[in-house]
Amino acid sequence: FSLALMFGMGFALPAMADCDDPQNQVEMNQCAFAAFETADAELNTVYQQLIGRIDERYVASLRAAQRAWVPFRDAQCDFESMGWEGGSGRPMIQSGCLRRVTEERTLLLRALLTCDPETSEGDIECPPKP
């Protein structure tokens, strides 16, 4: 009954913001989170491609590294946004950090995906192909 009453009184989730021109902090927070979600989707795509590229013997190691990276990312962004604790802008700062750190991880995985272990002499060690 109380849920029906709330919905009947006009309580609803805010609509998604126009991220080309956010008008308030709630919209800026939504847009920052949406940008993180986009970055996270790209990371997942590259991660899945890398799993398909490397030798099966190394997939478990990659999965373990990714599982360890997620809590690191979250802790790093919690730390970076601490100065905003209690403020309405903290979600935006935290989401911005999550996006940035996720994009950095995507760059690393993409480099692993595209390098050639037979010719690589760069900054990154290429995983063995199957």
Side-chain angles (χ1 to χ4, degrees):
F1 174 73
S2 61
L3 285 176
L5 182 61
M6 283 186 358
F7 287 115
M9 295 175 66
F11 290 102
L13 294 175
M16 186 57 198
D18 173 7
C19 292
D20 291 331
D21 187 26
Q23 296 296 307
N24 55 51
Q25 190 62 58
V26 170
E27 291 181 358
M28 288 186 276
N29 292 348
Q30 286 178 337
C31 293
F33 186 73
F36 160 63
E37 288 183 312
T38 298
D40 191 52
E42 177 65 14
L43 171 67
N44 288 323
T45 296
V46 172
Y47 173 76
Q48 290 301 322
Q49 290 170 349
L50 184 56
I51 283 180
R53 178 192 184 272
I54 63 175
D55 190 298
E56 271 184 42
R57 296 175 294 168
Y58 304 105
V59 169
S61 182
L62 174 60
R63 284 193 174 124
Q66 193 66 12
R67 285 186 189 123
W69 174 79
V70 170
F72 162 79
R73 176 203 63 196
D74 294 346
Q76 179 67 30
C77 293
D78 187 54
F79 169 72
E80 286 188 25
S81 64
M82 286 222 157
W84 291 78
E85 192 166 7
S88 62
R90 186 174 189 192
M92 179 185 70
I93 300 301
Q94 199 158 24
S95 292
C97 175
L98 291 168
R99 178 199 46 77
R100 186 191 81 247
V101 175
T102 299
E103 288 173 349
E104 291 168 357
R105 178 71 176 167
T106 301
L107 286 173
L108 174 66
L109 294 183
R110 186 171 279 121
L112 290 168
L113 179 63
T114 59
C115 70
D116 184 350
E118 294 179 17
T119 61
S120 179
E121 293 182 23
D123 296 333
I124 193 162
E125 189 66 32
C126 293
K129 292 181 179 180

PDB file of all heavy atoms in Angstrom, residues 11-50:
ATOM      1  N   PHE A  11       6.099  10.299  -6.810  1.00  0.00           N
ATOM      2  CA  PHE A  11       7.499   9.944  -6.599  1.00  0.00           C
ATOM      3  C   PHE A  11       7.945   9.037  -7.736  1.00  0.00           C
ATOM      4  O   PHE A  11       7.285   8.057  -8.045  1.00  0.00           O
ATOM      5  CB  PHE A  11       7.704   9.202  -5.268  1.00  0.00           C
ATOM      6  CG  PHE A  11       7.511  10.079  -4.074  1.00  0.00           C
ATOM      7  CD1 PHE A  11       6.335  10.025  -3.346  1.00  0.00           C
ATOM      8  CD2 PHE A  11       8.497  10.971  -3.689  1.00  0.00           C
ATOM      9  CE1 PHE A  11       6.150  10.829  -2.246  1.00  0.00           C
ATOM     10  CE2 PHE A  11       8.317  11.779  -2.584  1.00  0.00           C
ATOM     11  CZ  PHE A  11       7.138  11.722  -1.862  1.00  0.00           C
ATOM     12  N   ALA A  12       9.019   9.382  -8.372  1.00  0.00           N
ATOM     13  CA  ALA A  12       9.534   8.562  -9.463  1.00  0.00           C
ATOM     14  C   ALA A  12      11.034   8.791  -9.573  1.00  0.00           C
ATOM     15  O   ALA A  12      11.559   9.786  -9.078  1.00  0.00           O
ATOM     16  CB  ALA A  12       8.848   8.936 -10.771  1.00  0.00           C
ATOM     17  N   LEU A  13      11.671   7.873 -10.211  1.00  0.00           N
ATOM     18  CA  LEU A  13      13.095   8.045 -10.457  1.00  0.00           C
ATOM     19  C   LEU A  13      13.294   9.161 -11.470  1.00  0.00           C
ATOM     20  O   LEU A  13      12.497   9.311 -12.394  1.00  0.00           O
ATOM     21  CB  LEU A  13      13.695   6.741 -10.994  1.00  0.00           C
ATOM     22  CG  LEU A  13      13.699   5.566 -10.036  1.00  0.00           C
ATOM     23  CD1 LEU A  13      14.200   4.310 -10.758  1.00  0.00           C
ATOM     24  CD2 LEU A  13      14.574   5.867  -8.839  1.00  0.00           C
ATOM     25  N   PRO A  14      14.356   9.961 -11.305  1.00  0.00           N
ATOM     26  CA  PRO A  14      14.584  11.029 -12.268  1.00  0.00           C
ATOM     27  C   PRO A  14      14.919  10.461 -13.640  1.00  0.00           C
ATOM     28  O   PRO A  14      15.525   9.402 -13.768  1.00  0.00           O
ATOM     29  CB  PRO A  14      15.786  11.783 -11.690  1.00  0.00           C
ATOM     30  CG  PRO A  14      16.424  10.852 -10.716  1.00  0.00           C
ATOM     31  CD  PRO A  14      15.358   9.904 -10.268  1.00  0.00           C
ATOM     32  N   ALA A  15      14.502  11.172 -14.676  1.00  0.00           N
ATOM     33  CA  ALA A  15      14.808  10.764 -16.050  1.00  0.00           C
ATOM     34  C   ALA A  15      16.305  10.920 -16.283  1.00  0.00           C
ATOM     35  O   ALA A  15      16.988  11.685 -15.606  1.00  0.00           O
ATOM     36  CB  ALA A  15      14.022  11.629 -17.021  1.00  0.00           C
ATOM     37  N   MET A  16      16.808  10.176 -17.261  1.00  0.00           N
ATOM     38  CA  MET A  16      18.222  10.277 -17.594  1.00  0.00           C
ATOM     39  C   MET A  16      18.519  11.676 -18.118  1.00  0.00           C
ATOM     40  O   MET A  16      17.772  12.233 -18.906  1.00  0.00           O
ATOM     41  CB  MET A  16      18.593   9.210 -18.629  1.00  0.00           C
ATOM     42  CG  MET A  16      20.056   9.140 -18.938  1.00  0.00           C
ATOM     43  SD  MET A  16      21.036   8.851 -17.444  1.00  0.00           S
ATOM     44  CE  MET A  16      22.639   9.337 -18.011  1.00  0.00           C
ATOM     45  N   ALA A  17      19.617  12.213 -17.680  1.00  0.00           N
ATOM     46  CA  ALA A  17      20.018  13.575 -18.026  1.00  0.00           C
ATOM     47  C   ALA A  17      20.500  13.674 -19.466  1.00  0.00           C
ATOM     48  O   ALA A  17      20.939  12.698 -20.058  1.00  0.00           O
ATOM     49  CB  ALA A  17      21.132  14.011 -17.083  1.00  0.00           C
ATOM     50  N   ASP A  18      20.449  14.874 -20.000  1.00  0.00           N
ATOM     51  CA  ASP A  18      21.076  15.195 -21.272  1.00  0.00           C
ATOM     52  C   ASP A  18      22.544  15.455 -20.963  1.00  0.00           C
ATOM     53  O   ASP A  18      22.902  16.516 -20.447  1.00  0.00           O
ATOM     54  CB  ASP A  18      20.418  16.430 -21.888  1.00  0.00           C
ATOM     55  CG  ASP A  18      21.130  16.916 -23.136  1.00  0.00           C
ATOM     56  OD1 ASP A  18      22.063  16.223 -23.613  1.00  0.00           O
ATOM     57  OD2 ASP A  18      20.765  17.993 -23.641  1.00  0.00           O
ATOM     58  N   CYS A  19      23.379  14.501 -21.260  1.00  0.00           N
ATOM     59  CA  CYS A  19      24.784  14.593 -20.850  1.00  0.00           C
ATOM     60  C   CYS A  19      25.593  15.568 -21.699  1.00  0.00           C
ATOM     61  O   CYS A  19      26.745  15.847 -21.383  1.00  0.00           O
ATOM     62  CB  CYS A  19      25.422  13.209 -20.825  1.00  0.00           C
ATOM     63  SG  CYS A  19      24.717  12.191 -19.505  1.00  0.00           S
ATOM     64  N   ASP A  20      24.992  16.108 -22.744  1.00  0.00           N
ATOM     65  CA  ASP A  20      25.650  17.177 -23.489  1.00  0.00           C
ATOM     66  C   ASP A  20      25.535  18.502 -22.742  1.00  0.00           C
ATOM     67  O   ASP A  20      26.323  19.416 -22.980  1.00  0.00           O
ATOM     68  CB  ASP A  20      25.045  17.321 -24.886  1.00  0.00           C
ATOM     69  CG  ASP A  20      25.379  16.141 -25.782  1.00  0.00           C
ATOM     70  OD1 ASP A  20      26.454  15.522 -25.586  1.00  0.00           O
ATOM     71  OD2 ASP A  20      24.561  15.823 -26.666  1.00  0.00           O
ATOM     72  N   ASP A  21      24.554  18.574 -21.840  1.00  0.00           N
ATOM     73  CA  ASP A  21      24.333  19.817 -21.100  1.00  0.00           C
ATOM     74  C   ASP A  21      23.640  19.527 -19.770  1.00  0.00           C
ATOM     75  O   ASP A  21      22.485  19.902 -19.566  1.00  0.00           O
ATOM     76  CB  ASP A  21      23.488  20.780 -21.950  1.00  0.00           C
ATOM     77  CG  ASP A  21      23.362  22.148 -21.311  1.00  0.00           C
ATOM     78  OD1 ASP A  21      24.249  22.547 -20.531  1.00  0.00           O
ATOM     79  OD2 ASP A  21      22.344  22.823 -21.596  1.00  0.00           O
ATOM     80  N   PRO A  22      24.335  18.844 -18.828  1.00  0.00           N
ATOM     81  CA  PRO A  22      23.701  18.567 -17.539  1.00  0.00           C
ATOM     82  C   PRO A  22      23.397  19.878 -16.803  1.00  0.00           C
ATOM     83  O   PRO A  22      24.187  20.815 -16.850  1.00  0.00           O
ATOM     84  CB  PRO A  22      24.728  17.717 -16.798  1.00  0.00           C
ATOM     85  CG  PRO A  22      26.023  17.951 -17.498  1.00  0.00           C
ATOM     86  CD  PRO A  22      25.710  18.355 -18.890  1.00  0.00           C
ATOM     87  N   GLN A  23      22.251  19.914 -16.143  1.00  0.00           N
ATOM     88  CA  GLN A  23      21.773  21.162 -15.541  1.00  0.00           C
ATOM     89  C   GLN A  23      21.969  21.260 -14.037  1.00  0.00           C
ATOM     90  O   GLN A  23      21.817  22.340 -13.478  1.00  0.00           O
ATOM     91  CB  GLN A  23      20.282  21.331 -15.866  1.00  0.00           C
ATOM     92  CG  GLN A  23      20.007  21.480 -17.348  1.00  0.00           C
ATOM     93  CD  GLN A  23      20.634  22.748 -17.908  1.00  0.00           C
ATOM     94  OE1 GLN A  23      20.408  23.834 -17.385  1.00  0.00           O
ATOM     95  NE2 GLN A  23      21.439  22.606 -18.957  1.00  0.00           N
ATOM     96  N   ASN A  24      22.266  20.149 -13.379  1.00  0.00           N
ATOM     97  CA  ASN A  24      22.424  20.190 -11.928  1.00  0.00           C
ATOM     98  C   ASN A  24      23.313  19.025 -11.489  1.00  0.00           C
ATOM     99  O   ASN A  24      23.730  18.212 -12.305  1.00  0.00           O
ATOM    100  CB  ASN A  24      21.050  20.158 -11.229  1.00  0.00           C
ATOM    101  CG  ASN A  24      20.226  18.964 -11.660  1.00  0.00           C
ATOM    102  OD1 ASN A  24      20.693  17.821 -11.630  1.00  0.00           O
ATOM    103  ND2 ASN A  24      18.983  19.212 -12.082  1.00  0.00           N
ATOM    104  N   GLN A  25      23.584  18.957 -10.200  1.00  0.00           N
ATOM    105  CA  GLN A  25      24.499  17.940  -9.696  1.00  0.00           C
ATOM    106  C   GLN A  25      23.975  16.531  -9.909  1.00  0.00           C
ATOM    107  O   GLN A  25      24.736  15.624 -10.225  1.00  0.00           O
ATOM    108  CB  GLN A  25      24.803  18.172  -8.207  1.00  0.00           C
ATOM    109  CG  GLN A  25      25.922  17.304  -7.679  1.00  0.00           C
ATOM    110  CD  GLN A  25      27.236  17.586  -8.384  1.00  0.00           C
ATOM    111  OE1 GLN A  25      27.721  18.703  -8.379  1.00  0.00           O
ATOM    112  NE2 GLN A  25      27.824  16.566  -9.003  1.00  0.00           N
ATOM    113  N   VAL A  26      22.669  16.339  -9.760  1.00  0.00           N
ATOM    114  CA  VAL A  26      22.095  15.008  -9.981  1.00  0.00           C
ATOM    115  C   VAL A  26      22.369  14.567 -11.416  1.00  0.00           C
ATOM    116  O   VAL A  26      22.792  13.436 -11.662  1.00  0.00           O
ATOM    117  CB  VAL A  26      20.579  14.992  -9.663  1.00  0.00           C
ATOM    118  CG1 VAL A  26      19.936  13.694 -10.128  1.00  0.00           C
ATOM    119  CG2 VAL A  26      20.344  15.199  -8.174  1.00  0.00           C
ATOM    120  N   GLU A  27      22.164  15.466 -12.359  1.00  0.00           N
ATOM    121  CA  GLU A  27      22.416  15.126 -13.753  1.00  0.00           C
ATOM    122  C   GLU A  27      23.903  14.914 -14.021  1.00  0.00           C
ATOM    123  O   GLU A  27      24.279  14.009 -14.772  1.00  0.00           O
ATOM    124  CB  GLU A  27      21.846  16.210 -14.678  1.00  0.00           C
ATOM    125  CG  GLU A  27      20.327  16.224 -14.683  1.00  0.00           C
ATOM    126  CD  GLU A  27      19.750  17.282 -15.601  1.00  0.00           C
ATOM    127  OE1 GLU A  27      20.511  18.056 -16.221  1.00  0.00           O
ATOM    128  OE2 GLU A  27      18.508  17.325 -15.719  1.00  0.00           O
ATOM    129  N   MET A  28      24.757  15.722 -13.404  1.00  0.00           N
ATOM    130  CA  MET A  28      26.205  15.515 -13.573  1.00  0.00           C
ATOM    131  C   MET A  28      26.624  14.166 -13.010  1.00  0.00           C
ATOM    132  O   MET A  28      27.458  13.469 -13.598  1.00  0.00           O
ATOM    133  CB  MET A  28      26.988  16.656 -12.916  1.00  0.00           C
ATOM    134  CG  MET A  28      26.879  17.959 -13.674  1.00  0.00           C
ATOM    135  SD  MET A  28      27.940  19.254 -12.999  1.00  0.00           S
ATOM    136  CE  MET A  28      26.909  19.893 -11.692  1.00  0.00           C
ATOM    137  N   ASN A  29      26.038  13.776 -11.875  1.00  0.00           N
ATOM    138  CA  ASN A  29      26.330  12.466 -11.295  1.00  0.00           C
ATOM    139  C   ASN A  29      25.874  11.353 -12.228  1.00  0.00           C
ATOM    140  O   ASN A  29      26.598  10.377 -12.456  1.00  0.00           O
ATOM    141  CB  ASN A  29      25.634  12.315  -9.938  1.00  0.00           C
ATOM    142  CG  ASN A  29      26.202  13.220  -8.868  1.00  0.00           C
ATOM    143  OD1 ASN A  29      27.260  13.834  -9.030  1.00  0.00           O
ATOM    144  ND2 ASN A  29      25.494  13.336  -7.766  1.00  0.00           N
ATOM    145  N   GLN A  30      24.669  11.480 -12.795  1.00  0.00           N
ATOM    146  CA  GLN A  30      24.147  10.479 -13.726  1.00  0.00           C
ATOM    147  C   GLN A  30      25.058  10.348 -14.943  1.00  0.00           C
ATOM    148  O   GLN A  30      25.354   9.246 -15.400  1.00  0.00           O
ATOM    149  CB  GLN A  30      22.744  10.856 -14.210  1.00  0.00           C
ATOM    150  CG  GLN A  30      21.652  10.673 -13.201  1.00  0.00           C
ATOM    151  CD  GLN A  30      20.306  11.134 -13.766  1.00  0.00           C
ATOM    152  OE1 GLN A  30      20.232  11.934 -14.696  1.00  0.00           O
ATOM    153  NE2 GLN A  30      19.236  10.616 -13.177  1.00  0.00           N
ATOM    154  N   CYS A  31      25.485  11.476 -15.477  1.00  0.00           N
ATOM    155  CA  CYS A  31      26.313  11.468 -16.687  1.00  0.00           C
ATOM    156  C   CYS A  31      27.680  10.860 -16.414  1.00  0.00           C
ATOM    157  O   CYS A  31      28.210  10.114 -17.244  1.00  0.00           O
ATOM    158  CB  CYS A  31      26.434  12.875 -17.249  1.00  0.00           C
ATOM    159  SG  CYS A  31      24.856  13.510 -17.876  1.00  0.00           S
ATOM    160  N   ALA A  32      28.253  11.166 -15.267  1.00  0.00           N
ATOM    161  CA  ALA A  32      29.554  10.595 -14.916  1.00  0.00           C
ATOM    162  C   ALA A  32      29.429   9.078 -14.768  1.00  0.00           C
ATOM    163  O   ALA A  32      30.303   8.329 -15.222  1.00  0.00           O
ATOM    164  CB  ALA A  32      30.079  11.226 -13.626  1.00  0.00           C
ATOM    165  N   PHE A  33      28.344   8.615 -14.158  1.00  0.00           N
ATOM    166  CA  PHE A  33      28.147   7.182 -14.009  1.00  0.00           C
ATOM    167  C   PHE A  33      27.909   6.518 -15.361  1.00  0.00           C
ATOM    168  O   PHE A  33      28.421   5.429 -15.625  1.00  0.00           O
ATOM    169  CB  PHE A  33      26.989   6.881 -13.046  1.00  0.00           C
ATOM    170  CG  PHE A  33      26.848   5.420 -12.759  1.00  0.00           C
ATOM    171  CD1 PHE A  33      27.762   4.763 -11.934  1.00  0.00           C
ATOM    172  CD2 PHE A  33      25.822   4.678 -13.316  1.00  0.00           C
ATOM    173  CE1 PHE A  33      27.647   3.401 -11.678  1.00  0.00           C
ATOM    174  CE2 PHE A  33      25.699   3.314 -13.065  1.00  0.00           C
ATOM    175  CZ  PHE A  33      26.617   2.682 -12.246  1.00  0.00           C
ATOM    176  N   ALA A  34      27.157   7.174 -16.232  1.00  0.00           N
ATOM    177  CA  ALA A  34      26.911   6.626 -17.574  1.00  0.00           C
ATOM    178  C   ALA A  34      28.225   6.510 -18.346  1.00  0.00           C
ATOM    179  O   ALA A  34      28.443   5.532 -19.074  1.00  0.00           O
ATOM    180  CB  ALA A  34      25.918   7.501 -18.334  1.00  0.00           C
ATOM    181  N   ALA A  35      29.115   7.487 -18.187  1.00  0.00           N
ATOM    182  CA  ALA A  35      30.423   7.429 -18.855  1.00  0.00           C
ATOM    183  C   ALA A  35      31.237   6.258 -18.312  1.00  0.00           C
ATOM    184  O   ALA A  35      31.935   5.564 -19.068  1.00  0.00           O
ATOM    185  CB  ALA A  35      31.174   8.741 -18.670  1.00  0.00           C
ATOM    186  N   PHE A  36      31.159   6.015 -17.007  1.00  0.00           N
ATOM    187  CA  PHE A  36      31.835   4.852 -16.429  1.00  0.00           C
ATOM    188  C   PHE A  36      31.254   3.562 -16.992  1.00  0.00           C
ATOM    189  O   PHE A  36      32.001   2.648 -17.361  1.00  0.00           O
ATOM    190  CB  PHE A  36      31.737   4.853 -14.901  1.00  0.00           C
ATOM    191  CG  PHE A  36      31.977   3.500 -14.300  1.00  0.00           C
ATOM    192  CD1 PHE A  36      33.204   2.859 -14.448  1.00  0.00           C
ATOM    193  CD2 PHE A  36      30.972   2.839 -13.620  1.00  0.00           C
ATOM    194  CE1 PHE A  36      33.422   1.585 -13.915  1.00  0.00           C
ATOM    195  CE2 PHE A  36      31.176   1.572 -13.084  1.00  0.00           C
ATOM    196  CZ  PHE A  36      32.405   0.952 -13.240  1.00  0.00           C
ATOM    197  N   GLU A  37      29.932   3.470 -17.084  1.00  0.00           N
ATOM    198  CA  GLU A  37      29.304   2.257 -17.619  1.00  0.00           C
ATOM    199  C   GLU A  37      29.760   1.987 -19.060  1.00  0.00           C
ATOM    200  O   GLU A  37      29.988   0.837 -19.433  1.00  0.00           O
ATOM    201  CB  GLU A  37      27.784   2.365 -17.570  1.00  0.00           C
ATOM    202  CG  GLU A  37      27.224   2.256 -16.176  1.00  0.00           C
ATOM    203  CD  GLU A  37      25.704   2.282 -16.155  1.00  0.00           C
ATOM    204  OE1 GLU A  37      25.112   3.165 -16.812  1.00  0.00           O
ATOM    205  OE2 GLU A  37      25.116   1.422 -15.484  1.00  0.00           O
ATOM    206  N   THR A  38      29.907   3.031 -19.840  1.00  0.00           N
ATOM    207  CA  THR A  38      30.389   2.882 -21.217  1.00  0.00           C
ATOM    208  C   THR A  38      31.818   2.352 -21.214  1.00  0.00           C
ATOM    209  O   THR A  38      32.153   1.433 -21.966  1.00  0.00           O
ATOM    210  CB  THR A  38      30.304   4.226 -21.964  1.00  0.00           C
ATOM    211  OG1 THR A  38      28.935   4.629 -22.011  1.00  0.00           O
ATOM    212  CG2 THR A  38      30.857   4.117 -23.368  1.00  0.00           C
ATOM    213  N   ALA A  39      32.657   2.925 -20.368  1.00  0.00           N
ATOM    214  CA  ALA A  39      34.043   2.469 -20.264  1.00  0.00           C
ATOM    215  C   ALA A  39      34.109   1.021 -19.783  1.00  0.00           C
ATOM    216  O   ALA A  39      34.922   0.227 -20.270  1.00  0.00           O
ATOM    217  CB  ALA A  39      34.835   3.383 -19.324  1.00  0.00           C
ATOM    218  N   ASP A  40      33.247   0.666 -18.838  1.00  0.00           N
ATOM    219  CA  ASP A  40      33.225  -0.694 -18.309  1.00  0.00           C
ATOM    220  C   ASP A  40      32.788  -1.694 -19.379  1.00  0.00           C
ATOM    221  O   ASP A  40      33.340  -2.797 -19.474  1.00  0.00           O
ATOM    222  CB  ASP A  40      32.294  -0.763 -17.094  1.00  0.00           C
ATOM    223  CG  ASP A  40      32.434  -2.063 -16.334  1.00  0.00           C
ATOM    224  OD1 ASP A  40      33.571  -2.442 -15.975  1.00  0.00           O
ATOM    225  OD2 ASP A  40      31.392  -2.711 -16.087  1.00  0.00           O
ATOM    226  N   ALA A  41      31.828  -1.310 -20.203  1.00  0.00           N
ATOM    227  CA  ALA A  41      31.384  -2.191 -21.289  1.00  0.00           C
ATOM    228  C   ALA A  41      32.520  -2.418 -22.288  1.00  0.00           C
ATOM    229  O   ALA A  41      32.721  -3.544 -22.763  1.00  0.00           O
ATOM    230  CB  ALA A  41      30.166  -1.593 -21.989  1.00  0.00           C
ATOM    231  N   GLU A  42      33.268  -1.376 -22.591  1.00  0.00           N
ATOM    232  CA  GLU A  42      34.411  -1.502 -23.504  1.00  0.00           C
ATOM    233  C   GLU A  42      35.486  -2.408 -22.894  1.00  0.00           C
ATOM    234  O   GLU A  42      36.059  -3.258 -23.576  1.00  0.00           O
ATOM    235  CB  GLU A  42      34.988  -0.131 -23.837  1.00  0.00           C
ATOM    236  CG  GLU A  42      36.208  -0.180 -24.724  1.00  0.00           C
ATOM    237  CD  GLU A  42      35.961  -0.715 -26.131  1.00  0.00           C
ATOM    238  OE1 GLU A  42      34.798  -0.823 -26.558  1.00  0.00           O
ATOM    239  OE2 GLU A  42      36.951  -1.043 -26.815  1.00  0.00           O
ATOM    240  N   LEU A  43      35.746  -2.233 -21.602  1.00  0.00           N
ATOM    241  CA  LEU A  43      36.711  -3.099 -20.915  1.00  0.00           C
ATOM    242  C   LEU A  43      36.279  -4.552 -21.027  1.00  0.00           C
ATOM    243  O   LEU A  43      37.088  -5.427 -21.346  1.00  0.00           O
ATOM    244  CB  LEU A  43      36.836  -2.706 -19.446  1.00  0.00           C
ATOM    245  CG  LEU A  43      37.651  -3.653 -18.570  1.00  0.00           C
ATOM    246  CD1 LEU A  43      39.128  -3.642 -18.959  1.00  0.00           C
ATOM    247  CD2 LEU A  43      37.476  -3.310 -17.104  1.00  0.00           C
ATOM    248  N   ASN A  44      35.010  -4.836 -20.781  1.00  0.00           N
ATOM    249  CA  ASN A  44      34.517  -6.214 -20.842  1.00  0.00           C
ATOM    250  C   ASN A  44      34.655  -6.796 -22.241  1.00  0.00           C
ATOM    251  O   ASN A  44      34.986  -7.974 -22.399  1.00  0.00           O
ATOM    252  CB  ASN A  44      33.078  -6.291 -20.343  1.00  0.00           C
ATOM    253  CG  ASN A  44      33.004  -6.105 -18.844  1.00  0.00           C
ATOM    254  OD1 ASN A  44      33.874  -6.558 -18.103  1.00  0.00           O
ATOM    255  ND2 ASN A  44      31.980  -5.426 -18.385  1.00  0.00           N
ATOM    256  N   THR A  45      34.442  -5.978 -23.261  1.00  0.00           N
ATOM    257  CA  THR A  45      34.592  -6.434 -24.647  1.00  0.00           C
ATOM    258  C   THR A  45      36.050  -6.814 -24.921  1.00  0.00           C
ATOM    259  O   THR A  45      36.334  -7.894 -25.448  1.00  0.00           O
ATOM    260  CB  THR A  45      34.133  -5.337 -25.626  1.00  0.00           C
ATOM    261  OG1 THR A  45      32.742  -5.107 -25.430  1.00  0.00           O
ATOM    262  CG2 THR A  45      34.391  -5.738 -27.065  1.00  0.00           C
ATOM    263  N   VAL A  46      36.967  -5.942 -24.554  1.00  0.00           N
ATOM    264  CA  VAL A  46      38.389  -6.198 -24.799  1.00  0.00           C
ATOM    265  C   VAL A  46      38.859  -7.400 -23.972  1.00  0.00           C
ATOM    266  O   VAL A  46      39.606  -8.253 -24.465  1.00  0.00           O
ATOM    267  CB  VAL A  46      39.234  -4.937 -24.501  1.00  0.00           C
ATOM    268  CG1 VAL A  46      40.724  -5.235 -24.553  1.00  0.00           C
ATOM    269  CG2 VAL A  46      38.872  -3.824 -25.477  1.00  0.00           C
ATOM    270  N   TYR A  47      38.397  -7.489 -22.738  1.00  0.00           N
ATOM    271  CA  TYR A  47      38.749  -8.621 -21.862  1.00  0.00           C
ATOM    272  C   TYR A  47      38.311  -9.945 -22.486  1.00  0.00           C
ATOM    273  O   TYR A  47      39.086 -10.910 -22.530  1.00  0.00           O
ATOM    274  CB  TYR A  47      38.095  -8.399 -20.493  1.00  0.00           C
ATOM    275  CG  TYR A  47      38.214  -9.542 -19.534  1.00  0.00           C
ATOM    276  CD1 TYR A  47      39.409  -9.807 -18.868  1.00  0.00           C
ATOM    277  CD2 TYR A  47      37.112 -10.350 -19.253  1.00  0.00           C
ATOM    278  CE1 TYR A  47      39.504 -10.853 -17.958  1.00  0.00           C
ATOM    279  CE2 TYR A  47      37.206 -11.396 -18.347  1.00  0.00           C
ATOM    280  CZ  TYR A  47      38.397 -11.638 -17.701  1.00  0.00           C
ATOM    281  OH  TYR A  47      38.485 -12.679 -16.807  1.00  0.00           O
ATOM    282  N   GLN A  48      37.073  -9.997 -22.986  1.00  0.00           N
ATOM    283  CA  GLN A  48      36.584 -11.221 -23.618  1.00  0.00           C
ATOM    284  C   GLN A  48      37.373 -11.551 -24.886  1.00  0.00           C
ATOM    285  O   GLN A  48      37.662 -12.720 -25.156  1.00  0.00           O
ATOM    286  CB  GLN A  48      35.086 -11.101 -23.938  1.00  0.00           C
ATOM    287  CG  GLN A  48      34.199 -11.106 -22.711  1.00  0.00           C
ATOM    288  CD  GLN A  48      34.351 -12.359 -21.865  1.00  0.00           C
ATOM    289  OE1 GLN A  48      34.510 -13.474 -22.368  1.00  0.00           O
ATOM    290  NE2 GLN A  48      34.320 -12.188 -20.555  1.00  0.00           N
ATOM    291  N   GLN A  49      37.737 -10.543 -25.645  1.00  0.00           N
ATOM    292  CA  GLN A  49      38.557 -10.768 -26.835  1.00  0.00           C
ATOM    293  C   GLN A  49      39.922 -11.334 -26.445  1.00  0.00           C
ATOM    294  O   GLN A  49      40.431 -12.244 -27.100  1.00  0.00           O
ATOM    295  CB  GLN A  49      38.742  -9.463 -27.618  1.00  0.00           C
ATOM    296  CG  GLN A  49      37.479  -8.986 -28.287  1.00  0.00           C
ATOM    297  CD  GLN A  49      37.623  -7.583 -28.861  1.00  0.00           C
ATOM    298  OE1 GLN A  49      38.583  -6.860 -28.598  1.00  0.00           O
ATOM    299  NE2 GLN A  49      36.640  -7.184 -29.662  1.00  0.00           N
ATOM    300  N   LEU A  50      40.492 -10.812 -25.373  1.00  0.00           N
ATOM    301  CA  LEU A  50      41.798 -11.292 -24.924  1.00  0.00           C
ATOM    302  C   LEU A  50      41.713 -12.734 -24.447  1.00  0.00           C
ATOM    303  O   LEU A  50      42.583 -13.554 -24.760  1.00  0.00           O
ATOM    304  CB  LEU A  50      42.350 -10.386 -23.822  1.00  0.00           C
ATOM    305  CG  LEU A  50      43.748 -10.694 -23.312  1.00  0.00           C
ATOM    306  CD1 LEU A  50      44.773 -10.698 -24.445  1.00  0.00           C
ATOM    307  CD2 LEU A  50      44.143  -9.695 -22.225  1.00  0.00           C
TER     308      LEU A  50
END
